[in-house]
Amino acid sequence: MNESEYIPIAALNQYAYCPHRCWRMFCAGEFTENEYTIEGTSLHDRVHSLSQEKQGEDWQIRAIWLKSRQYGLIGKSDLIEASNGEIFPVEYKRGRKGEWDNDELQVGAQALCLEEMTGKSIKIGYVYYAHSHHRQEVEISEDLRDRVRQTITDIQRLFTDNIVPQAVYSPRCRGCSLKSRCLPQATAKVARYQEIS
Ligand code: SF4
């Protein structure tokens, strides 16, 4: 597989949040900032300066690239830690833990890359929520691995078929930076009108 065909790990997060948003960002090349994305970008800019710390057998590395040939995934990590013989990814997010599982999916994808790169089994990862200063543990369970693999398959299909997933209005649209372009409520109204006419 050519490296340009690799799926960005962040695309899994976007796809799990909304397939239509994923298509707009990664196929149509659209992106619009809102207060949440600006805050998120500035958090990642602070985290994404390459650095390394070591204390005995434990270490932390920031901003290294993760890659999986097996799954065709690539992406920059926020933080990789080793502690008590275990290695785990930590993904930084603004805000608090939301109702959706897209952040867990991103950590699961990072864990699959790390396993391939280190040859070690990754059992847990974390999402660090900057507002609440809380590290949410993510178990790298079989169920999460299956969901990561299924999402990779779905995104591969999205990238090759380039069929636009329908914009479905939901509570997620409230915080979406692409809402003013996507107009999901108007799309839903047009679809309803077409159904009854
Ligand atoms: S506004 Fe809603 S439907 Fe449109 S891209 Fe955002 S989350 Fe998806």
Side-chain angles (χ1 to χ4, degrees):
M1 181 186 277
N2 186 308
E3 219 166 84
S4 63
E5 295 169 44
Y6 277 47
I7 292 174
I9 292 174
L12 275 75
N13 190 322
Q14 299 300 336
Y15 190 92
Y17 189 80
C18 168
H20 186 78
R21 180 176 163 86
C22 183
W23 176 84
R24 280 186 180 263
M25 289 178 69
F26 293 94
C27 297
E30 286 179 26
F31 188 67
T32 307
E33 295 277 21
N34 68 4
E35 59 187 297
Y36 305 124
T37 61
I38 290 170
E39 216 178 312
T41 305
S42 122
L43 173 68
H44 280 100
D45 284 348
R46 289 201 300 278
V47 173
H48 276 181
S49 52
L50 189 62
S51 67
Q52 197 169 342
E53 287 168 33
K54 196 167 189 313
Q55 256 191 344
E57 294 302 307
D58 297 349
W59 48 260
Q60 293 188 330
I61 306 180
R62 293 179 192 278
I64 58 162
W65 283 92
L66 301 177
K67 184 174 165 182
S68 163
R69 283 181 199 280
Q70 183 183 354
Y71 296 108
L73 284 176
I74 194 160
K76 200 185 246 188
S77 65
D78 287 337
L79 174 64
I80 304 299
E81 278 193 17
S83 179
N84 298 321
E86 302 287 341
I87 298 179
F88 45 86
V90 184
E91 172 66 19
Y92 280 58
K93 293 293 176 196
R94 55 159 296 282
R96 300 170 181 80
K97 177 167 168 40
E99 300 159 58
W100 336 114
D101 66 355
N102 46 319
D103 295 339
E104 284 84 348
L105 209 67
Q106 191 170 356
V107 171
Q110 291 176 355
L112 293 187
C113 291
L114 264 182
E115 285 188 338
E116 193 174 311
M117 292 167 73
T118 63
K120 286 182 74 97
S121 166
I122 311 294
K123 301 186 187 83
I124 56 162
Y126 292 93
V127 183
Y128 173 76
Y129 291 99
H131 270 194
S132 52
H133 302 289
H134 174 64
R135 258 192 189 197
Q136 177 76 37
E137 185 176 303
V138 177
E139 186 195 352
I140 312 300
S141 61
E142 271 314 308
D143 175 61
L144 181 61
R145 290 165 189 270
D146 285 346
R147 283 189 287 135
V148 170
R149 287 189 278 258
Q150 182 58 55
T151 308
I152 292 168
T153 304
D154 292 343
I155 295 175
Q156 278 166 340
R157 197 170 300 132
L158 179 73
F159 284 6
T160 48
D161 297 351
N162 201 17
I163 295 171
V164 186
Q166 200 179 346
V168 180
Y169 182 66
S170 76
R172 298 173 195 223
C173 301
R174 281 198 300 267
C176 176
S177 64
L178 294 173
K179 190 175 159 196
S180 61
R181 291 176 180 228
C182 169
L183 302 173
Q185 285 156 301
T187 308
K189 270 189 196 154
V190 170
R192 268 202 306 278
Y193 177 76
Q194 282 173 335
E195 272 172 29
I196 57 171
S197 59

